Amino acid sequence: MRTVTVVGASLSGLYAARELRAQGYDGHLVVIGDEPHHPYDRPPLSKGFLTGRADENQLALTDAEESAELDAEWMLGVRARALDARGRTVVLDDGRTVSTDGLVIATGARARRLPGDALAGVHTLRTLDDARALREELTRGPRRVVVIGGGFVGAETASSCSSLGHSVTVVEAAPLPLTPHLGTGMAAVCAALHRRGGVDLVTGTGVAGLRGTLTVSGVELTDGRTLAADLVIVGIGATPNTSWLAGSALALRDGVLCDDGCVTALPQVVAVGDVARVGGVRAEHWTSATQQPRVAVTNLLAGRTVATADAVPYFWSDQYGARIQFAGRRGEGDTVRITEGELSDGAPAEGGFLARYERNGRTTAVLAVDRPRPFMRARRELTRETAVAATGE
């Protein structure tokens, strides 16, 4: 391959560029990004960056020395508009085209929005520019903040806003936030962290609309209530950035469809990170974005699938001074057993806890709150057991 192009100057895009060089690719490397920024770390945006404990320099994932070593052509601040996969050409919004022999799709996802969220005071939190705008508003004095969506980003953002002294309410349409990830019992335990952090949690009701003329003034709920709001933060998930791939001959269904090795229907095209549906699963987690590129690049350079991405899923979240860590694949019907620590009034007690999800006598997943060392041991054990089960030994 004379030229390999990475579309997406994201975490997974950077890792793909690193892997290409590490695996011996010495041809022309192009990295295209729709943001004007070089790759940066997104998890701190809802935490340390929002509260002012981290600055933009600390978000940077690369520096001038590494950029020189990568020897890549960076095309930043320009969006990919189309892909002629068979002609091996990426078309950019500004009319330029990039011819390429191999392609890594790492375009990530964009925040879902609500009708009417063009009002001033309504924010999403996905990009550095989003975080800059929200952080600036949070410094203007006490605000009534409504966070729509109780997922990880919503919970972390609510926690940060509360720590800055704002009055915060989280609205979650489901009976409990995080149930798909943790199951009902452990979701209830983690929901109690909101209460402990002084944040109101409203569940089981959706959002009917936003109030306000030029600036948001409230959130109307489907149960008839209205919550007063000076700031609204919409955290209702993300949509994979695949619109530029329409008509490209790649299969798209809530992401770019790939096999277990991140390879699409075209062997010269692989996908990684939030945009990739690998083996039927699209995982929006930091670890997936950093682990998939190694396998994807191996297969891209081989011209076929010779390796698979079979790592045990892992994610973490920092909320209200607590660290939540989860690894594995929870299934409906799994039993949950707290093996270390305990609960206090439905919330993690001081010192946290470790819980195991089990099915037919086998551990399927582990969850910890403020028990990092026991969790890492349990995660390693789970990884070993999963590998043995996969080989049938």
Side-chain angles (χ1 to χ4, degrees):
M1 293 184 180
R2 299 178 63 180
T3 300
V4 173
T5 301
V6 178
V7 182
S10 56
L11 174 70
S12 58
L14 174 63
Y15 270 68
R18 288 172 173 170
E19 281 296 331
L20 282 159
R21 294 310 191 202
Q23 294 188 32
Y25 176 71
D26 60 1
H28 185 206
L29 175 59
V30 180
V31 182
I32 300 169
D34 63 344
E35 294 184 61
H37 318 292
H38 277 79
Y40 57 88
D41 205 13
R42 294 185 191 274
L45 294 180
S46 59
K47 300 184 278 285
F49 183 79
L50 203 59
T51 59
R53 296 194 307 271
D55 61 25
E56 292 187 21
N57 290 332
Q58 292 170 283
L59 301 180
L61 290 171
T62 187
D63 55 24
E65 181 179 355
E66 183 185 26
S67 293
E69 291 176 352
L70 285 176
D71 189 26
E73 178 184 354
W74 294 86
M75 304 176 71
L76 301 178
V78 60
R79 189 183 302 271
R81 187 177 72 205
L83 170 66
D84 177 358
R86 300 196 186 280
R88 304 191 180 193
T89 302
V90 178
V91 182
L92 305 181
D93 256 353
D94 61 8
R96 286 180 292 171
T97 60
V98 178
S99 297
T100 191
D101 303 300
L103 179 68
V104 180
I105 299 171
T107 44
R110 63 188 181 279
R112 291 195 178 101
R113 310 187 75 89
L114 288 174
D117 68 359
L119 292 170
V122 180
H123 296 261
T124 56
L125 185 53
R126 181 79 189 181
T127 68
L128 175 57
D129 291 337
D130 291 340
R132 284 172 172 171
L134 180 56
R135 186 166 81 164
E136 196 277 330
E137 282 216 49
L138 290 172
T139 62
R140 297 179 183 174
R143 291 286 191 273
R144 295 169 298 180
V145 179
V146 175
V147 178
I148 301 173
F152 291 113
V153 172
E156 291 170 357
T157 304
S159 171
S160 295
C161 291
S162 178
S163 73
L164 292 171
H166 301 288
S167 173
V168 183
T169 301
V170 174
V171 178
E172 169 59 49
L176 283 169
L178 303 179
T179 299
H181 301 280
L182 307 179
T184 302
M186 290 297 102
V189 172
C190 290
L193 293 173
H194 291 285
R195 181 181 68 246
R196 193 169 76 182
V199 169
D200 292 331
L201 177 61
V202 177
T203 62
T205 184
V207 173
L210 303 178
R211 281 190 176 179
T213 49
L214 298 177
T215 302
V216 71
S217 61
V219 177
E220 296 180 0
L221 304 182
T222 53
D223 64 7
R225 286 180 291 172
T226 298
L227 303 175
D230 304 305
L231 274 178
V232 173
I233 301 162
V234 181
I236 55 174
T239 302
N241 288 320
T242 59
S243 59
W244 69 284
L245 296 168
S248 67
L250 296 181
L252 308 175
R253 189 170 67 246
D254 186 38
V256 179
L257 297 188
C258 307
D259 65 12
D260 289 339
C262 304
V263 180
T264 71
L266 300 174
Q268 76 273 19
V269 180
V270 297
V272 293
D274 292 357
V275 75
R277 180 165 288 277
V278 179
V281 177
R282 190 171 69 84
E284 296 182 12
H285 301 307
W286 192 92
T287 46
S288 298
T290 57
Q291 291 173 352
Q292 289 172 355
R294 177 172 297 177
V295 170
V297 166
T298 296
N299 294 331
L300 179 66
L301 296 179
R304 60 189 178 90
T305 302
V306 296
T308 58
D310 56 0
V312 172
Y314 165 66
F315 60 83
W316 78 92
S317 179
D318 295 317
Q319 307 171 20
Y320 307 104
R323 167 150 287 201
I324 301 169
Q325 295 172 285
F326 184 93
R329 296 178 175 88
R330 183 193 72 84
E332 292 301 322
D334 287 1
T335 59
V336 184
R337 193 165 52 92
I338 294 179
T339 57
E340 294 187 31
E342 58 186 3
L343 306 181
S344 174
D345 193 24
E350 184 176 355
F353 69 88
L354 176 75
R356 294 177 181 270
Y357 295 73
E358 299 171 336
R359 186 187 321 138
N360 299 326
R362 182 185 296 275
T363 299
T364 59
V366 290
L367 166 70
V369 176
D370 291 336
R371 292 250 171 166
R373 289 185 178 177
F375 174 82
M376 294 309 295
R377 288 196 296 270
R379 181 187 175 194
R380 287 194 295 268
E381 177 185 324
L382 177 63
T383 300
R384 287 194 299 269
E385 291 178 355
T386 302
V388 169
T391 59
E393 295 179 3

